[in-house]
Amino acid sequence: MSPLVFALPDGSEATVTVTRLLNAGYAGRAQDEVAAHIAELAELGVPAPSVTPALYPVAPYLAAQVDGVPVQHGRTSGEAEWALVVAGEAPEDLLLTVACDHTDRDLEVHGVAWSKNAGPDVLGRRAWRLVDVEDHLDELRLRAWVTDDGVETLIQDSPLAALLSPRHWLENAADLLVPGTVLLSGTVAMLPGVDQFAARWRVELTDPVRGETVDLSYAVERMPEPIG
């Protein structure tokens, strides 16, 4: 399994071999809104979690820094998220970057955990140290755009205040967050009327206080139809 390499603002790099990958779900701070979202998903056939927030283990090799995501059919889509990367034992080894959890929506109705393991978690190639942004974390903004027929459209736009913070997971799942772990935050609401089944995804995590952005983008690449 190839290690991930993150460029840091001071010009150094952090190299991490991912040994544990976790996807949070239903992780909004307003849990009443989360409950309403679960009810909406249930109408689409997506099974409800037994507890919220949820945490889904994902195969570590699915953490990837890639420019293209191969898919088997036309009903897969991304989700804009932040990712906490545990690069070592020290506080300064906790990194924050942007992520996009590419999910199989057809499989999701049979099991959310299954759908999470059917596509990669795409991560940015740059990261920040959590200690450098944690004092203004809620002011950071997560945005995603989709592209179809050459037209790019905003599909997600929310401050990090909408999501449970990295500190929540560091305090409540500390036994899981060993060096080599990557944890994705769960996503924010999609804007109405935008088609999520797009040819390209682009996600940004912006720090307005420091004037910095970490980003990622990738093409959704349809594989040939199976034979047999």
mmCIF file of all heavy atoms in Angstrom, residues 21-26 55-59 62-63 77-79 81 101-105 107-108 111-121 184 186-187:
data_model
loop_
_atom_site.group_PDB
_atom_site.id
_atom_site.type_symbol
_atom_site.label_atom_id
_atom_site.label_comp_id
_atom_site.label_asym_id
_atom_site.label_seq_id
_atom_site.Cartn_x
_atom_site.Cartn_y
_atom_site.Cartn_z
ATOM 1 N N LEU A 21 -8.761 3.376 8.485
ATOM 2 C CA LEU A 21 -9.553 4.412 7.818
ATOM 3 C C LEU A 21 -10.969 4.357 8.376
ATOM 4 O O LEU A 21 -11.607 3.297 8.395
ATOM 5 C CB LEU A 21 -9.561 4.166 6.308
ATOM 6 C CG LEU A 21 -10.333 5.154 5.431
ATOM 7 C CD1 LEU A 21 -9.839 6.581 5.603
ATOM 8 C CD2 LEU A 21 -10.227 4.745 3.956
ATOM 9 N N LEU A 22 -11.443 5.511 8.858
ATOM 10 C CA LEU A 22 -12.759 5.605 9.493
ATOM 11 C C LEU A 22 -13.573 6.695 8.820
ATOM 12 O O LEU A 22 -13.068 7.784 8.563
ATOM 13 C CB LEU A 22 -12.616 5.930 10.980
ATOM 14 C CG LEU A 22 -11.770 4.964 11.814
ATOM 15 C CD1 LEU A 22 -11.490 5.570 13.188
ATOM 16 C CD2 LEU A 22 -12.467 3.618 11.957
ATOM 17 N N ASN A 23 -14.827 6.391 8.541
ATOM 18 C CA ASN A 23 -15.750 7.378 7.978
ATOM 19 C C ASN A 23 -16.837 7.673 8.996
ATOM 20 O O ASN A 23 -17.620 6.789 9.351
ATOM 21 C CB ASN A 23 -16.408 6.856 6.704
ATOM 22 C CG ASN A 23 -15.522 6.949 5.476
ATOM 23 O OD1 ASN A 23 -15.999 6.779 4.349
ATOM 24 N ND2 ASN A 23 -14.235 7.200 5.657
ATOM 25 N N ALA A 24 -16.901 8.909 9.467
ATOM 26 C CA ALA A 24 -18.006 9.321 10.323
ATOM 27 C C ALA A 24 -19.247 9.531 9.466
ATOM 28 O O ALA A 24 -19.165 9.865 8.280
ATOM 29 C CB ALA A 24 -17.653 10.594 11.075
ATOM 30 N N GLY A 25 -20.380 9.344 10.073
ATOM 31 C CA GLY A 25 -21.639 9.568 9.381
ATOM 32 C C GLY A 25 -22.669 10.177 10.311
ATOM 33 O O GLY A 25 -22.590 10.005 11.533
ATOM 34 N N TYR A 26 -23.593 10.924 9.738
ATOM 35 C CA TYR A 26 -24.639 11.575 10.537
ATOM 36 C C TYR A 26 -24.001 12.401 11.660
ATOM 37 O O TYR A 26 -24.428 12.346 12.816
ATOM 38 C CB TYR A 26 -25.614 10.526 11.098
ATOM 39 C CG TYR A 26 -26.094 9.565 10.043
ATOM 40 C CD1 TYR A 26 -25.592 8.280 9.944
ATOM 41 C CD2 TYR A 26 -27.040 9.977 9.100
ATOM 42 C CE1 TYR A 26 -26.020 7.405 8.958
ATOM 43 C CE2 TYR A 26 -27.480 9.110 8.104
ATOM 44 C CZ TYR A 26 -26.966 7.829 8.042
ATOM 45 O OH TYR A 26 -27.392 6.965 7.055
ATOM 46 N N LEU A 55 -19.907 5.640 12.979
ATOM 47 C CA LEU A 55 -18.506 5.558 12.571
ATOM 48 C C LEU A 55 -18.306 4.236 11.842
ATOM 49 O O LEU A 55 -18.544 3.162 12.407
ATOM 50 C CB LEU A 55 -17.583 5.642 13.791
ATOM 51 C CG LEU A 55 -16.131 6.059 13.570
ATOM 52 C CD1 LEU A 55 -16.046 7.415 12.889
ATOM 53 C CD2 LEU A 55 -15.373 6.086 14.884
ATOM 54 N N TYR A 56 -17.886 4.334 10.571
ATOM 55 C CA TYR A 56 -17.784 3.153 9.723
ATOM 56 C C TYR A 56 -16.310 2.851 9.409
ATOM 57 O O TYR A 56 -15.624 3.684 8.812
ATOM 58 C CB TYR A 56 -18.524 3.376 8.407
ATOM 59 C CG TYR A 56 -19.985 3.718 8.582
ATOM 60 C CD1 TYR A 56 -20.429 5.036 8.439
ATOM 61 C CD2 TYR A 56 -20.921 2.738 8.882
ATOM 62 C CE1 TYR A 56 -21.768 5.357 8.601
ATOM 63 C CE2 TYR A 56 -22.264 3.051 9.044
ATOM 64 C CZ TYR A 56 -22.684 4.362 8.903
ATOM 65 O OH TYR A 56 -24.008 4.681 9.062
ATOM 66 N N PRO A 57 -15.815 1.665 9.781
ATOM 67 C CA PRO A 57 -14.471 1.272 9.347
ATOM 68 C C PRO A 57 -14.460 1.019 7.835
ATOM 69 O O PRO A 57 -15.386 0.409 7.289
ATOM 70 C CB PRO A 57 -14.194 -0.022 10.124
ATOM 71 C CG PRO A 57 -15.214 -0.045 11.220
ATOM 72 C CD PRO A 57 -16.409 0.675 10.686
ATOM 73 N N VAL A 58 -13.422 1.493 7.184
ATOM 74 C CA VAL A 58 -13.266 1.356 5.738
ATOM 75 C C VAL A 58 -11.893 0.748 5.472
ATOM 76 O O VAL A 58 -10.932 0.994 6.223
ATOM 77 C CB VAL A 58 -13.406 2.735 5.049
ATOM 78 C CG1 VAL A 58 -13.177 2.630 3.553
ATOM 79 C CG2 VAL A 58 -14.784 3.335 5.334
ATOM 80 N N ALA A 59 -11.789 -0.043 4.425
ATOM 81 C CA ALA A 59 -10.506 -0.662 4.086
ATOM 82 C C ALA A 59 -9.434 0.413 3.902
ATOM 83 O O ALA A 59 -9.640 1.365 3.142
ATOM 84 C CB ALA A 59 -10.649 -1.484 2.814
ATOM 85 N N LEU A 62 -8.323 2.242 0.628
ATOM 86 C CA LEU A 62 -9.238 3.148 -0.068
ATOM 87 C C LEU A 62 -8.922 4.621 0.212
ATOM 88 O O LEU A 62 -9.531 5.499 -0.392
ATOM 89 C CB LEU A 62 -10.680 2.836 0.303
ATOM 90 C CG LEU A 62 -11.198 1.498 -0.232
ATOM 91 C CD1 LEU A 62 -12.586 1.191 0.317
ATOM 92 C CD2 LEU A 62 -11.222 1.493 -1.760
ATOM 93 N N ALA A 63 -8.000 4.902 1.117
ATOM 94 C CA ALA A 63 -7.528 6.271 1.293
ATOM 95 C C ALA A 63 -6.542 6.574 0.167
ATOM 96 O O ALA A 63 -5.511 5.909 0.046
ATOM 97 C CB ALA A 63 -6.842 6.438 2.648
ATOM 98 N N SER A 77 -21.408 9.097 -6.242
ATOM 99 C CA SER A 77 -21.137 10.528 -6.074
ATOM 100 C C SER A 77 -20.238 10.760 -4.877
ATOM 101 O O SER A 77 -20.102 9.899 -3.993
ATOM 102 C CB SER A 77 -22.445 11.314 -5.909
ATOM 103 O OG SER A 77 -23.105 10.951 -4.721
ATOM 104 N N GLY A 78 -19.668 11.956 -4.836
ATOM 105 C CA GLY A 78 -18.793 12.330 -3.740
ATOM 106 C C GLY A 78 -19.538 12.966 -2.589
ATOM 107 O O GLY A 78 -20.760 13.180 -2.635
ATOM 108 N N GLU A 79 -18.794 13.281 -1.538
ATOM 109 C CA GLU A 79 -19.293 14.003 -0.371
ATOM 110 C C GLU A 79 -18.145 14.833 0.172
ATOM 111 O O GLU A 79 -17.090 14.285 0.532
ATOM 112 C CB GLU A 79 -19.783 13.034 0.729
ATOM 113 C CG GLU A 79 -20.997 12.221 0.365
ATOM 114 C CD GLU A 79 -21.450 11.319 1.509
ATOM 115 O OE1 GLU A 79 -20.671 11.146 2.476
ATOM 116 O OE2 GLU A 79 -22.574 10.801 1.455
ATOM 117 N N GLU A 81 -15.867 16.650 2.707
ATOM 118 C CA GLU A 81 -15.579 16.389 4.114
ATOM 119 C C GLU A 81 -14.202 16.947 4.480
ATOM 120 O O GLU A 81 -13.400 17.275 3.606
ATOM 121 C CB GLU A 81 -15.615 14.879 4.404
ATOM 122 C CG GLU A 81 -16.876 14.208 3.860
ATOM 123 C CD GLU A 81 -17.143 12.827 4.435
ATOM 124 O OE1 GLU A 81 -16.458 12.430 5.398
ATOM 125 O OE2 GLU A 81 -18.061 12.156 3.923
ATOM 126 N N ASP A 101 -15.539 11.643 0.038
ATOM 127 C CA ASP A 101 -15.903 10.238 0.188
ATOM 128 C C ASP A 101 -16.772 9.849 -0.999
ATOM 129 O O ASP A 101 -17.937 10.223 -1.067
ATOM 130 C CB ASP A 101 -16.648 10.079 1.517
ATOM 131 C CG ASP A 101 -17.336 8.729 1.661
ATOM 132 O OD1 ASP A 101 -16.926 7.787 0.955
ATOM 133 O OD2 ASP A 101 -18.268 8.627 2.476
ATOM 134 N N HIS A 102 -16.198 9.109 -1.944
ATOM 135 C CA HIS A 102 -16.958 8.745 -3.142
ATOM 136 C C HIS A 102 -17.742 7.464 -2.860
ATOM 137 O O HIS A 102 -17.172 6.415 -2.558
ATOM 138 C CB HIS A 102 -16.048 8.573 -4.359
ATOM 139 C CG HIS A 102 -16.805 8.728 -5.634
ATOM 140 N ND1 HIS A 102 -17.071 9.957 -6.191
ATOM 141 C CD2 HIS A 102 -17.408 7.818 -6.435
ATOM 142 C CE1 HIS A 102 -17.787 9.806 -7.279
ATOM 143 N NE2 HIS A 102 -18.007 8.515 -7.458
ATOM 144 N N THR A 103 -19.071 7.570 -2.970
ATOM 145 C CA THR A 103 -19.987 6.552 -2.448
ATOM 146 C C THR A 103 -20.875 5.985 -3.549
ATOM 147 O O THR A 103 -21.348 6.710 -4.418
ATOM 148 C CB THR A 103 -20.859 7.184 -1.342
ATOM 149 O OG1 THR A 103 -20.015 7.671 -0.302
ATOM 150 C CG2 THR A 103 -21.831 6.178 -0.758
ATOM 151 N N ASP A 104 -21.103 4.683 -3.476
ATOM 152 C CA ASP A 104 -22.010 3.989 -4.394
ATOM 153 C C ASP A 104 -23.432 4.137 -3.856
ATOM 154 O O ASP A 104 -23.810 3.525 -2.854
ATOM 155 C CB ASP A 104 -21.605 2.517 -4.478
ATOM 156 C CG ASP A 104 -22.386 1.757 -5.534
ATOM 157 O OD1 ASP A 104 -23.615 1.965 -5.634
ATOM 158 O OD2 ASP A 104 -21.780 0.937 -6.252
ATOM 159 N N ARG A 105 -24.252 4.964 -4.513
ATOM 160 C CA ARG A 105 -25.599 5.242 -4.007
ATOM 161 C C ARG A 105 -26.558 4.061 -4.201
ATOM 162 O O ARG A 105 -27.491 3.900 -3.412
ATOM 163 C CB ARG A 105 -26.161 6.491 -4.683
ATOM 164 C CG ARG A 105 -25.305 7.722 -4.491
ATOM 165 C CD ARG A 105 -25.114 8.082 -3.033
ATOM 166 N NE ARG A 105 -24.185 9.197 -2.876
ATOM 167 C CZ ARG A 105 -23.734 9.638 -1.708
ATOM 168 N NH1 ARG A 105 -24.104 9.042 -0.595
ATOM 169 N NH2 ARG A 105 -22.895 10.649 -1.650
ATOM 170 N N LEU A 107 -25.665 0.922 -3.887
ATOM 171 C CA LEU A 107 -25.315 -0.014 -2.820
ATOM 172 C C LEU A 107 -25.717 0.524 -1.453
ATOM 173 O O LEU A 107 -25.980 -0.249 -0.523
ATOM 174 C CB LEU A 107 -23.815 -0.303 -2.869
ATOM 175 C CG LEU A 107 -23.268 -1.411 -1.976
ATOM 176 C CD1 LEU A 107 -23.982 -2.736 -2.252
ATOM 177 C CD2 LEU A 107 -21.767 -1.566 -2.180
ATOM 178 N N GLU A 108 -25.809 1.835 -1.319
ATOM 179 C CA GLU A 108 -26.113 2.467 -0.036
ATOM 180 C C GLU A 108 -27.455 1.997 0.535
ATOM 181 O O GLU A 108 -27.626 1.892 1.752
ATOM 182 C CB GLU A 108 -26.113 3.981 -0.215
ATOM 183 C CG GLU A 108 -26.122 4.778 1.070
ATOM 184 C CD GLU A 108 -25.945 6.259 0.804
ATOM 185 O OE1 GLU A 108 -26.508 6.763 -0.201
ATOM 186 O OE2 GLU A 108 -25.256 6.934 1.591
ATOM 187 N N GLY A 111 -26.798 -1.099 2.520
ATOM 188 C CA GLY A 111 -25.955 -0.961 3.705
ATOM 189 C C GLY A 111 -24.987 0.181 3.526
ATOM 190 O O GLY A 111 -24.220 0.196 2.557
ATOM 191 N N VAL A 112 -25.021 1.146 4.456
ATOM 192 C CA VAL A 112 -24.133 2.308 4.334
ATOM 193 C C VAL A 112 -22.672 1.881 4.427
ATOM 194 O O VAL A 112 -21.824 2.342 3.662
ATOM 195 C CB VAL A 112 -24.475 3.358 5.411
ATOM 196 C CG1 VAL A 112 -23.461 4.498 5.398
ATOM 197 C CG2 VAL A 112 -25.886 3.896 5.196
ATOM 198 N N ALA A 113 -22.366 0.972 5.357
ATOM 199 C CA ALA A 113 -20.980 0.521 5.504
ATOM 200 C C ALA A 113 -20.479 -0.143 4.220
ATOM 201 O O ALA A 113 -19.329 0.034 3.828
ATOM 202 C CB ALA A 113 -20.866 -0.443 6.684
ATOM 203 N N TRP A 114 -21.361 -0.902 3.546
ATOM 204 C CA TRP A 114 -20.961 -1.531 2.277
ATOM 205 C C TRP A 114 -20.643 -0.458 1.237
ATOM 206 O O TRP A 114 -19.657 -0.550 0.506
ATOM 207 C CB TRP A 114 -22.072 -2.438 1.753
ATOM 208 C CG TRP A 114 -22.355 -3.629 2.608
ATOM 209 C CD1 TRP A 114 -21.615 -4.067 3.672
ATOM 210 C CD2 TRP A 114 -23.446 -4.535 2.477
ATOM 211 N NE1 TRP A 114 -22.185 -5.189 4.216
ATOM 212 C CE2 TRP A 114 -23.306 -5.498 3.507
ATOM 213 C CE3 TRP A 114 -24.523 -4.618 1.606
ATOM 214 C CZ2 TRP A 114 -24.209 -6.543 3.677
ATOM 215 C CZ3 TRP A 114 -25.434 -5.669 1.762
ATOM 216 C CH2 TRP A 114 -25.278 -6.620 2.784
ATOM 217 N N SER A 115 -21.506 0.546 1.155
ATOM 218 C CA SER A 115 -21.304 1.580 0.135
ATOM 219 C C SER A 115 -20.022 2.361 0.373
ATOM 220 O O SER A 115 -19.368 2.804 -0.574
ATOM 221 C CB SER A 115 -22.507 2.524 0.091
ATOM 222 O OG SER A 115 -22.576 3.331 1.244
ATOM 223 N N LYS A 116 -19.645 2.534 1.640
ATOM 224 C CA LYS A 116 -18.418 3.261 1.961
ATOM 225 C C LYS A 116 -17.184 2.490 1.492
ATOM 226 O O LYS A 116 -16.138 3.078 1.220
ATOM 227 C CB LYS A 116 -18.311 3.521 3.460
ATOM 228 C CG LYS A 116 -19.417 4.379 4.044
ATOM 229 C CD LYS A 116 -19.402 5.787 3.488
ATOM 230 C CE LYS A 116 -20.465 6.652 4.143
ATOM 231 N NZ LYS A 116 -20.579 7.978 3.490
ATOM 232 N N ASN A 117 -17.311 1.175 1.433
ATOM 233 C CA ASN A 117 -16.175 0.351 1.021
ATOM 234 C C ASN A 117 -16.154 0.071 -0.475
ATOM 235 O O ASN A 117 -15.317 -0.684 -0.950
ATOM 236 C CB ASN A 117 -16.190 -0.973 1.797
ATOM 237 C CG ASN A 117 -15.580 -0.847 3.172
ATOM 238 O OD1 ASN A 117 -14.360 -0.918 3.316
ATOM 239 N ND2 ASN A 117 -16.403 -0.640 4.187
ATOM 240 N N ALA A 118 -17.073 0.686 -1.216
ATOM 241 C CA ALA A 118 -17.161 0.454 -2.659
ATOM 242 C C ALA A 118 -16.473 1.533 -3.476
ATOM 243 O O ALA A 118 -16.436 1.450 -4.703
ATOM 244 C CB ALA A 118 -18.621 0.344 -3.078
ATOM 245 N N GLY A 119 -15.949 2.557 -2.815
ATOM 246 C CA GLY A 119 -15.266 3.639 -3.523
ATOM 247 C C GLY A 119 -14.194 4.241 -2.638
ATOM 248 O O GLY A 119 -14.188 4.028 -1.417
ATOM 249 N N PRO A 120 -13.292 5.016 -3.216
ATOM 250 C CA PRO A 120 -12.190 5.572 -2.434
ATOM 251 C C PRO A 120 -12.592 6.792 -1.621
ATOM 252 O O PRO A 120 -13.575 7.479 -1.926
ATOM 253 C CB PRO A 120 -11.171 5.960 -3.511
ATOM 254 C CG PRO A 120 -12.019 6.307 -4.691
ATOM 255 C CD PRO A 120 -13.187 5.354 -4.643
ATOM 256 N N ASP A 121 -11.819 7.064 -0.595
ATOM 257 C CA ASP A 121 -11.837 8.351 0.097
ATOM 258 C C ASP A 121 -10.690 9.165 -0.492
ATOM 259 O O ASP A 121 -9.514 8.908 -0.199
ATOM 260 C CB ASP A 121 -11.630 8.169 1.599
ATOM 261 C CG ASP A 121 -12.862 7.601 2.288
ATOM 262 O OD1 ASP A 121 -13.959 7.724 1.734
ATOM 263 O OD2 ASP A 121 -12.720 7.054 3.392
ATOM 264 N N LEU A 184 -12.546 10.560 8.394
ATOM 265 C CA LEU A 184 -13.321 11.542 7.630
ATOM 266 C C LEU A 184 -14.526 11.990 8.439
ATOM 267 O O LEU A 184 -15.136 11.199 9.151
ATOM 268 C CB LEU A 184 -13.766 10.968 6.290
ATOM 269 C CG LEU A 184 -12.780 11.164 5.119
ATOM 270 C CD1 LEU A 184 -11.501 10.370 5.346
ATOM 271 C CD2 LEU A 184 -13.425 10.774 3.797
ATOM 272 N N GLY A 186 -17.670 13.004 7.899
ATOM 273 C CA GLY A 186 -19.075 13.063 7.508
ATOM 274 C C GLY A 186 -19.290 14.345 6.721
ATOM 275 O O GLY A 186 -18.459 15.261 6.747
ATOM 276 N N THR A 187 -20.394 14.419 6.021
ATOM 277 C CA THR A 187 -20.573 15.503 5.069
ATOM 278 C C THR A 187 -21.627 16.503 5.497
ATOM 279 O O THR A 187 -22.296 16.329 6.524
ATOM 280 C CB THR A 187 -20.897 14.930 3.675
ATOM 281 O OG1 THR A 187 -20.721 15.936 2.684
ATOM 282 C CG2 THR A 187 -22.324 14.382 3.625
#
